Amino acid sequence: MKLLNYRFLAVLAMVISCSLGANAQVIDSILIKLDNEYPQEKIYVQYDKAAYTPGETIWLKAYIMVGSTITTISNNLYTELIDAGGKILDRRISPIAIGGAAAAFDLPENLKDSIVYVRAYTRWMLNFDSSFLYTKAIPVLQPAANAGATAKPAATNTPQFFLDFFPEGGDLVQGVPSRVAFKATDKRGLPITINGDIQNSKGTKVASFSSTHNGMGFFELTPLAGESYKASWKDPVGKMQQKNLPASKSQGVVLKLENNLAGIQYSVKRKDGENPAIEAVQVVAQTQQQMIYRAKVNLTKSAEVKAIIPIENVPAGIVQVTLFTEDNKPLAERIVFVNRQDYYFITDLNVPLKGMTKRDRSVIQIDVPDEIQCNLSLSITDADINPVQKGEEDIYSGLLLSPDLKGYIHQPGYYFSSEADSVARHLDLVMMTNGWRRFKWEEVLAGKFPEIKHKPEDYITAIGKVSGLTKSELTNQELTGILTLKGGGQQFLSIPVANDGNFKLGGMVFYDTAKLYYQFNNDKNKLLTTKALVDVKPAFLPGAIPFSTAGRPVPVFTRLDPKAIEKSLLMGEKNLAAAEAARKVQTLEGVTVTAKVKSKQEKMEEEYTSGLFRGQNDYTFIVEDDPAGRGAMTVLQYLQGRVAGLQISGMGTNMSMSWRGGVPSLFLNEMISDLSMVQNIPMTDIAMVKVFRPPFLGAPGGGSGGAIAVYTKKGAAANDNIKGLNFATIPGYVPQKEFYSPDYMRYDQRHDQADNRTTLFWNPFIITDKDNRRILFTVYNNDITKRWRIIVEGVNVEGKLTRMERIVE
């Protein structure tokens, strides 16, 4: 439907204006090619807090979009923790499900830097401009003794302040009035307030300017032939500065845009009173590589032509308007933000039970009115340590604004805080002082498209090569593989081998490492297996790409008040002291520890499950303790009628499953499997069955039909399958760090320690759907916090965004 709307607008524009001819079709075909073959992913990251102290954990949840929809391109997210000097401290690879991925980084306890960077990207994003990789500078609060330890003295010839000019449309044209936007920043990239005058070559004042919002503003200027212009302005320390304006062109056109309720009003103007060098131009508007408008403007009879680009079917986001000559040469360009308030859905956040005293209990309730699937994240922090800051980035600005612009946007959340006209005008200043450069028209019109070196990944993928055999010996060959997980469990695989010896395994989701035992199929006496050399390598990116802090660094605008910093440092010191004390304790003599005896199910969970298969919303069946398990012939027969909503019909290997309109994914020992393999396992060999409600994040595509995980018994019988076989080790995802949320209603030895948590709760994957629209969480306070800051953010499968925030005290 979205594409139909775009195409309708493009056709409408052609009908209203005139026939554009074959040259105009070139632009249309380029956009179609870019959209089909070079879609652009973008990332926003939600953190539990805005600033940290050494030794703390950075908890993060990333959302990955393509245009206005969640990504279906990439399955893996790479995140990196980088120190102030550009050194990679840590790296994580996380599976993407329903447009989201989670990770956590532990800051070194001896970290002396006052800043760290988090960078996030997919393999697909590396095919394009690296400026659009997600990068965030995060403050690390240091005691006064360490403050400035990593600061580098500024070079003596480096200016302290910068002033840049941006003629609307790109160029000044002699004799044509034009708006000139400007942006003033300090050496950190943060905005400064300035005012000054524009002077001609004779020193005569022709205009004045003054910043109106975050160092930005604009003035009007009609450049004259033979003249040059410069700005004289006083910087924040009182020093007079000068900056030359861009030189003007003798001929050309000026583009002016005004965003209003009727649409995007544009004006194309040339110099009056002369024969035009350019008789006609094309006006093309596109958003996220989709054309929304195209028209021809005739400049032979009038020096200025105005028209409106309709936006009633255009989704919220940046629109790029470009003027082309009739032979497709770009002349002028400007971006504008269309904000139709259609990008969000409502999430209700309530606290039906509130307890703010020491270790008191609260209940958090999240309600999603929509019946479609949603992927949310929840953070609860000490509001005095993590206070609300004006304009801080949120999921709206982080996906609709910042990823499509090069450079730093100060307080981006401000531009989505209100529908007031003043906010809209300030957002337009951002548009006038930035450019949308996901691609360059000059390059794509010349046939220069990005070189695709990095193909999208299919979760965990292993690439293999068989050498030592002749081509005839490799013809129609197949490896029989047994994949075993570190925690136990096996899956049998049939792996086709190409005539050149290459083979590939993909779509796997497991944590830690797995071993692939192999031999050639129908290889009597293992003659081929013994003769061959088999090399198996993981297909993850082998290492982090370089990171440079050269030039202007990524600014940090987080400015906590002194009380927040003082409390953060105090809590950080207490936590570091507690960690050091715990390391020094080697033995506990004369102490009797009473602990809750684990149930058999808990023991089975620890022994058999890992990663995403542990702790999700599931039904668990211990087969050997269930008389029905001994009487069933197959797993699906055993499950019939035992799980609400799971529909199972048919007989034997012809049985079929459905759950909420989808088909559950099948896993055998946490490896993706199929119906015939699972149905052929004798029930006497099955230890446990777990049934996961839809969606199951560990399944390809997000598991919209849920999942059934079958675990076979461990022991010597399983190992008999792999005796004497060669094997290769395949690394999986690094096991995710589990957020510790104490339950003070139960005994735990850790409860004897002081509770100085600054993040009281973190859950990066909260999945809702039509049957699961209300989620409740029990959260316990720490020892000293009096005010909570609660934030819920997320996306739904249609690409709509949500954010709710509450201060509880």
Side-chain angles (χ1 to χ4, degrees), residues 420-572:
D421 291 342
S422 58
V423 175
R425 289 194 299 270
H426 295 159
L427 178 55
D428 200 49
L429 285 176
V430 176
M431 299 295 100
M432 293 180 73
T433 54
N434 286 273
W436 193 93
R437 290 293 181 273
R438 287 286 185 174
F439 63 88
K440 295 180 180 179
W441 277 115
E442 295 86 350
E443 293 181 356
V444 295
L445 285 167
K448 297 179 181 178
F449 290 89
E451 181 182 358
I452 302 301
K453 298 179 180 179
H454 301 280
K455 300 291 185 181
E457 296 171 318
D458 186 11
Y459 292 104
I460 298 172
T461 302
I463 299 173
K465 174 73 174 179
V466 177
S467 56
L469 300 182
T470 65
K471 187 174 182 180
S472 60
E473 289 174 323
L474 286 170
T475 302
N476 298 323
Q477 274 297 350
E478 190 175 77
L479 287 171
T480 297
I482 303 174
L483 194 68
T484 66
L485 302 181
K486 190 170 184 178
Q490 299 177 354
Q491 181 181 0
F492 290 86
L493 303 170
S494 295
I495 309 169
V497 179
N499 291 341
D500 59 2
N502 291 314
F503 62 89
K504 184 177 181 180
L505 279 172
M508 299 180 288
V509 178
F510 61 86
Y511 289 84
D512 210 319
T513 58
K515 287 185 177 181
L516 176 65
Y517 293 86
Y518 58 85
Q519 73 173 35
F520 281 95
N521 193 21
N522 299 320
D523 183 19
K524 294 182 179 180
N525 301 319
K526 299 183 180 179
L527 295 178
L528 287 178
T529 304
T530 303
K531 180 181 177 183
L533 295 174
V534 179
D535 183 30
V536 182
K537 296 179 179 178
F540 288 137
L541 283 169
I545 60 175
F547 181 88
S548 174
T549 57
R552 299 187 205 179
V554 179
V556 178
F557 82 87
T558 300
R559 293 291 180 265
L560 299 182
D561 60 67
K563 290 184 178 179
I565 295 175
E566 182 181 359
K567 187 173 181 180
S568 295
L569 292 173
L570 177 62
M571 299 285 271

Side-chain angles (χ1 to χ4, degrees), residues 226-438:
E227 274 291 0
S228 61
Y229 301 89
K230 65 181 178 182
S232 296
W233 54 287
K234 184 179 292 186
D235 66 27
V237 297
K239 181 180 179 181
M240 290 301 299
Q241 304 270 8
Q242 289 189 337
K243 177 69 179 286
N244 292 329
L245 267 65
S248 60
K249 292 186 173 181
S250 58
Q251 290 183 321
V253 293
V254 169
L255 172 66
K256 181 180 179 180
L257 298 184
E258 295 286 351
N259 200 358
N260 53 50
L261 294 176
I264 303 171
Q265 180 175 305
Y266 67 87
S267 163
V268 181
K269 189 170 185 179
R270 61 170 173 82
K271 186 177 181 180
D272 200 4
E274 68 176 10
N275 292 326
I278 301 173
E279 296 183 349
V281 297
Q282 301 177 67
V283 181
V284 173
Q286 67 90 19
T287 180
Q288 303 297 338
Q289 304 178 169
Q290 296 274 355
M291 183 179 289
I292 62 170
Y293 181 87
R294 187 175 66 197
K296 181 179 178 180
V297 172
N298 191 329
L299 294 172
T300 57
K301 297 181 180 180
S302 175
E304 182 177 16
V305 177
K306 295 181 179 181
I308 290 181
I309 301 172
I311 59 172
E312 60 266 21
N313 291 308
V314 178
I318 294 175
V319 172
Q320 178 194 43
V321 181
T322 309
L323 301 184
F324 295 90
T325 62
E326 290 188 281
D327 58 351
N328 295 333
K329 293 180 180 178
L331 289 172
E333 186 174 276
R334 213 287 236 166
I335 58 175
V336 64
F337 194 91
V338 171
N339 190 350
R340 296 183 52 247
Q341 302 293 317
D342 63 342
Y343 53 82
Y344 61 87
F345 64 95
I346 299 299
T347 299
D348 290 329
L349 174 61
N350 296 293
V351 186
L353 177 63
K354 181 174 68 173
M356 300 306 296
T357 60
K358 179 179 179 180
R359 302 194 179 188
D360 205 354
R361 175 173 172 261
S362 295
V363 174
I364 311 301
Q365 178 179 311
I366 299 173
D367 291 282
V368 179
D370 295 330
E371 294 189 352
I372 62 175
Q373 195 176 78
C374 303
N375 182 356
L376 311 174
S377 48
L378 167 65
S379 72
I380 303 177
T381 55
D382 186 323
D384 294 326
I385 286 178
N386 185 39
V388 179
Q389 298 192 75
K390 179 184 176 182
E392 62 187 335
E393 187 173 65
D394 56 22
I395 194 168
Y396 302 134
S397 60
L399 286 172
L400 297 175
L401 180 63
S402 301
D404 287 326
L405 300 176
K406 283 188 177 180
Y408 171 71
I409 306 300
H410 189 63
Q411 297 179 342
Y414 161 76
Y415 303 107
F416 297 85
S417 63
S418 167
E419 297 180 46
D421 291 342
S422 58
V423 175
R425 289 194 299 270
H426 295 159
L427 178 55
D428 200 49
L429 285 176
V430 176
M431 299 295 100
M432 293 180 73
T433 54
N434 286 273
W436 193 93
R437 290 293 181 273
R438 287 286 185 174

Side-chain angles (χ1 to χ4, degrees), residues 32-73:
I32 293 173
K33 181 180 178 69
L34 287 169
D35 185 50
N36 291 337
E37 299 180 27
Y38 308 97
Q40 303 282 297
E41 291 179 316
K42 52 188 178 181
I43 293 172
Y44 162 72
V45 176
Q46 177 187 357
Y47 300 88
D48 60 315
K49 299 191 302 180
Y52 300 84
T53 58
E56 284 195 299
T57 299
I58 298 176
W59 303 94
L60 63 89
K61 167 71 175 292
Y63 293 94
I64 306 95
M65 303 278 286
V66 177
S68 57
T69 61
I70 59 176
T71 187
T72 56
I73 300 173

